Coordinates of all heavy atoms in Angstrom, one line a residue:
L129 N -22.8 2.8 9.5 CA -24.1 2.9 10.1 C -24.9 1.6 10.0 O -25.5 1.1 10.9 CB -25.0 3.9 9.3 CG -24.8 5.4 9.7 CD1 -25.3 6.4 8.7 CD2 -25.3 5.7 11.2
M162 N -29.8 5.4 11.7 CA -30.4 5.7 13.1 C -31.1 7.0 12.9 O -30.5 8.0 12.5 CB -29.2 5.7 14.1 CG -28.0 6.6 13.9 SD -26.6 6.2 14.8 CE -27.0 7.4 16.1
A163 N -32.4 6.9 13.4 CA -33.2 8.1 13.3 C -33.7 8.5 14.5 O -34.8 8.1 15.0 CB -34.5 7.8 12.2
L164 N -32.9 9.5 15.1 CA -33.2 10.0 16.4 C -33.8 11.6 16.2 O -34.8 11.9 16.8 CB -32.0 10.2 17.3 CG -31.3 8.9 17.8 CD1 -30.3 8.4 16.8 CD2 -30.5 9.2 19.0
T165 N -33.0 12.4 15.4 CA -33.3 13.7 15.5 C -34.5 14.2 14.8 O -34.9 13.7 13.7 CB -32.1 14.5 14.8 OG1 -30.8 13.9 15.3 CG2 -32.0 15.9 15.0
A169 N -36.0 18.6 18.2 CA -35.4 17.7 19.2 C -34.2 17.3 18.6 O -34.0 16.3 18.0 CB -36.3 16.5 19.7
G170 N -33.0 18.1 19.0 CA -31.7 17.6 18.4 C -31.1 17.1 19.7 O -31.0 15.9 20.1
S171 N -30.2 18.0 20.4 CA -29.4 17.6 21.7 C -30.6 17.3 22.7 O -30.3 16.4 23.4 CB -28.8 18.8 22.2 OG -27.8 19.3 21.2
G172 N -31.6 17.9 22.7 CA -32.8 17.6 23.7 C -33.7 16.6 23.3 O -34.7 16.8 22.9
V195 N -35.1 14.6 11.0 CA -34.1 15.4 10.1 C -32.8 14.9 10.4 O -32.4 14.3 11.4 CB -34.2 16.9 10.4 CG1 -35.3 17.6 9.8 CG2 -34.0 17.2 11.9
F196 N -32.0 15.3 9.3 CA -30.5 15.0 9.3 C -30.2 13.5 9.3 O -29.2 13.1 9.8 CB -29.8 15.5 10.6 CG -29.6 16.9 10.6 CD1 -30.2 17.8 11.6 CD2 -29.0 17.6 9.6 CE1 -30.0 19.2 11.7 CE2 -28.8 19.1 9.6 CZ -29.3 19.7 10.6
I197 N -31.1 12.6 8.8 CA -30.9 11.2 8.9 C -29.9 10.8 7.8 O -30.2 10.9 6.6 CB -32.2 10.4 8.8 CG1 -33.2 11.0 9.7 CG2 -31.9 8.8 8.9 CD1 -32.7 11.2 11.2
S198 N -28.8 10.4 8.2 CA -27.7 10.0 7.3 C -28.0 8.7 6.6 O -28.4 7.7 7.2 CB -26.3 9.8 8.1 OG -26.0 11.0 8.6
K256 N -24.8 20.3 2.7 CA -24.0 20.5 3.9 C -22.7 21.1 3.4 O -22.2 21.1 2.2 CB -23.6 19.2 4.4 CG -24.9 18.3 4.8 CD -24.6 17.0 5.6 CE -23.7 16.1 4.8 NZ -24.5 15.4 3.8
S264 N -28.0 13.3 3.4 CA -28.5 13.7 4.7 C -30.0 14.0 4.4 O -30.3 14.9 3.5 CB -27.8 15.0 5.1 OG -26.6 14.6 5.6
L437 N -17.8 18.5 10.9 CA -19.1 18.0 11.3 C -18.9 17.1 12.6 O -19.8 17.1 13.5 CB -19.5 16.8 10.3 CG -20.8 16.0 10.7 CD1 -22.0 16.8 10.9 CD2 -21.0 14.9 9.7
I440 N -20.2 18.1 15.9 CA -21.7 18.4 15.9 C -22.5 17.1 16.1 O -23.4 17.1 17.0 CB -22.1 19.2 14.7 CG1 -21.3 20.6 14.7 CG2 -23.6 19.4 14.6 CD1 -21.5 21.2 13.4
H441 N -22.3 16.1 15.3 CA -23.1 14.9 15.2 C -22.7 14.0 16.3 O -21.8 14.2 16.9 CB -23.3 14.3 13.8 CG -22.1 13.6 13.3 ND1 -22.0 12.7 12.3 CD2 -20.8 13.7 13.7 CE1 -20.8 12.3 12.1 NE2 -20.1 12.9 12.9
E442 N -23.7 13.1 16.6 CA -23.5 12.1 17.6 C -23.3 12.7 19.0 O -22.6 12.2 19.9 CB -22.4 11.2 17.4 CG -22.3 10.4 16.0 CD -23.5 9.5 15.9 OE1 -24.0 9.1 16.8 OE2 -23.8 9.0 14.8
G443 N -24.1 13.7 19.3 CA -24.0 14.4 20.6 C -22.8 15.5 20.4 O -21.7 15.2 20.2
T444 N -23.2 16.7 20.5 CA -22.3 17.9 20.2 C -21.2 17.9 21.3 O -21.3 17.2 22.4 CB -23.0 19.2 20.3 OG1 -23.6 19.4 21.7 CG2 -24.2 19.4 19.2
G446 N -20.4 20.2 23.4 CA -21.0 20.7 24.7 C -21.8 19.5 25.5 O -21.7 19.3 26.6
I447 N -22.4 18.7 24.7 CA -23.2 17.6 25.3 C -22.3 16.5 25.9 O -22.4 16.0 27.0 CB -24.2 16.9 24.3 CG1 -25.3 18.0 23.9 CG2 -24.8 15.7 24.9 CD1 -26.2 18.6 25.1
L450 N -21.0 17.8 29.2 CA -21.9 17.6 30.2 C -21.8 16.0 30.7 O -22.0 15.7 31.8 CB -23.3 17.9 29.7 CG -23.6 19.4 29.5 CD1 -24.9 19.6 28.9 CD2 -23.4 20.2 30.8
Ligands
FAD1 C1 -24.4 15.9 8.7 C2 -25.2 15.5 9.7 C3 -25.5 14.2 10.0 C4 -26.2 13.7 11.0 N1 -26.7 12.4 11.0 C5 -27.7 12.0 12.0 C6 -28.3 10.7 11.9 O1 -27.9 9.8 11.0 N2 -29.3 10.5 12.7 C7 -29.8 11.4 13.6 O2 -30.8 11.0 14.2 N3 -29.3 12.6 13.8 C8 -28.2 13.0 12.9 N4 -27.6 14.3 12.9 C9 -28.2 15.2 13.8 C10 -27.3 15.5 15.1 O3 -27.1 14.5 15.8 C11 -27.7 16.8 15.5 O4 -27.5 17.9 14.7 C12 -27.0 17.1 16.9 O5 -27.4 16.1 17.9 C13 -27.3 18.5 17.5 O6 -28.8 18.8 17.3 P1 -29.2 20.1 16.7 O7 -28.6 20.3 15.4 O8 -30.7 20.1 16.7 O9 -28.6 21.3 17.5 P2 -29.0 21.9 18.9 O10 -29.5 20.8 19.7 O11 -30.0 23.0 18.6 O12 -27.8 22.5 19.6 C14 -27.2 23.8 19.1 C15 -26.1 24.2 20.0 O13 -26.7 24.4 21.4 C16 -25.9 23.6 22.2 N5 -26.9 23.0 23.3 C17 -28.1 22.3 23.0 N6 -28.5 22.0 24.2 C18 -27.7 22.3 25.1 C19 -27.6 22.0 26.6 N7 -28.7 21.5 27.2 N8 -26.7 22.6 27.1 C20 -25.6 23.0 26.7 N9 -25.6 23.3 25.2 C21 -26.6 22.9 24.6 C22 -25.3 22.5 21.4 O14 -24.2 21.9 22.1 C23 -25.0 23.2 20.1 O15 -23.8 23.8 20.1 C24 -26.8 14.7 11.9 C25 -26.4 16.0 11.9 C26 -25.6 16.4 10.8 C27 -25.2 17.8 10.6

Side-chain angles (χ1 to χ4, degrees):
L129 280 163
M162 51 196 271
L164 298 80
T165 309
S171 306
V195 280
F196 288 124
I197 308 309
S198 300
K256 311 187 293 287
S264 284
L437 173 64
I440 299 172
H441 66 162
E442 305 296 345
T444 61
I447 297 300
L450 292 174

